[in-house]
Amino acid sequence: LQKSMEDYQSGEECPDYSDINYQVYLNESVLSLVLTCTERVSGKTEYRVYNLNVETGESVQDDAFCQVMNWGPMRLEQEVKETAAQQAKIILREYYGEETTDEALEETYGYLRTMADTNLERVKLYMADDECLWAAMDIYAPGYGMQRQLVQVS
């Protein structure tokens, strides 16, 4: 990724990405770097999130966000799941129709894929300038598969 970023900035041909952008956020001692990478061939946008403790230089784990948000680990997990469920239903309603009930959506392949533990384990959290907790998470979109999105958790 570093090589791709350097090639892109130098104007040289970047084989994997047609565009790479980044945002940096500093909240207390947590530096969050959010990379937005657009794949050259597919045009698909990827979001990559890295969190570092600026005092220690070490990677920041989710428990640090529990402290910043003044939440326990169970609440953090619940908030992430609720956010994923809401986002999945928004996308699935666009496909199945606005009149589709929550219960019907919760039985669809897309909803089940989004809410699978193996998918939710890949969620990457970060703090933005608005001091809200955000997540890069995969949401299933019919016809497109899993799509990485940036969504506000709190």
Side-chain angles (χ1 to χ4, degrees):
L1 180 61
Q2 170 118 13
K3 172 93 170 91
S4 294
M5 187 75 153
E6 289 168 0
D7 289 347
Y8 177 74
Q9 289 176 337
S10 70
E12 292 181 31
E13 189 66 23
C14 183
D16 298 326
Y17 302 108
S18 61
D19 191 32
I20 300 173
N21 293 299
Y22 64 92
Q23 295 174 300
V24 179
Y25 305 102
L26 180 61
N27 288 284
E28 297 182 20
S29 62
V30 177
L31 177 83
S32 297
L33 171 66
V34 180
L35 292 177
T36 304
C37 308
T38 304
E39 292 182 0
R40 181 175 303 284
V41 176
S42 68
K44 182 178 175 181
T45 300
E46 294 180 18
Y47 298 100
R48 298 180 185 189
V49 176
Y50 304 92
N51 295 295
L52 295 172
N53 182 308
V54 294
E55 296 168 2
T56 66
E58 295 180 5
S59 181
V60 173
Q61 304 303 317
D62 288 349
D63 60 345
F65 296 110
C66 289
Q67 293 173 347
V68 172
M69 298 301 295
N70 203 20
W71 293 347
M74 297 292 284
R75 172 143 183 224
L76 178 63
E77 182 178 339
Q78 176 186 1
E79 295 283 343
V80 167
K81 284 183 177 180
E82 285 178 13
T83 300
Q86 290 170 356
Q87 291 300 310
K89 289 175 184 176
I90 289 169
I91 290 173
L92 292 169
R93 274 210 173 85
E94 290 174 9
Y95 184 79
Y96 291 108
E98 291 296 321
E99 68 284 350
T100 310
T101 66
D102 281 354
E103 293 77 21
L105 291 174
E106 290 169 4
E107 294 177 6
T108 65
Y109 175 78
Y111 184 85
L112 297 173
R113 281 285 308 274
T114 298
M115 299 307 295
D117 288 340
T118 54
N119 182 50
L120 294 176
E121 289 168 359
R122 292 191 300 264
V123 169
K124 293 294 290 183
L125 301 172
Y126 68 98
M127 298 289 293
D129 286 337
D130 55 8
E131 297 185 7
C132 292
L133 186 63
W134 287 75
M137 61 175 52
D138 293 327
I139 308 293
Y140 186 86
Y144 298 96
M146 298 303 276
Q147 300 287 310
R148 197 88 159 148
Q149 296 185 4
L150 300 179
V151 294
Q152 186 174 342
V153 176
S154 66

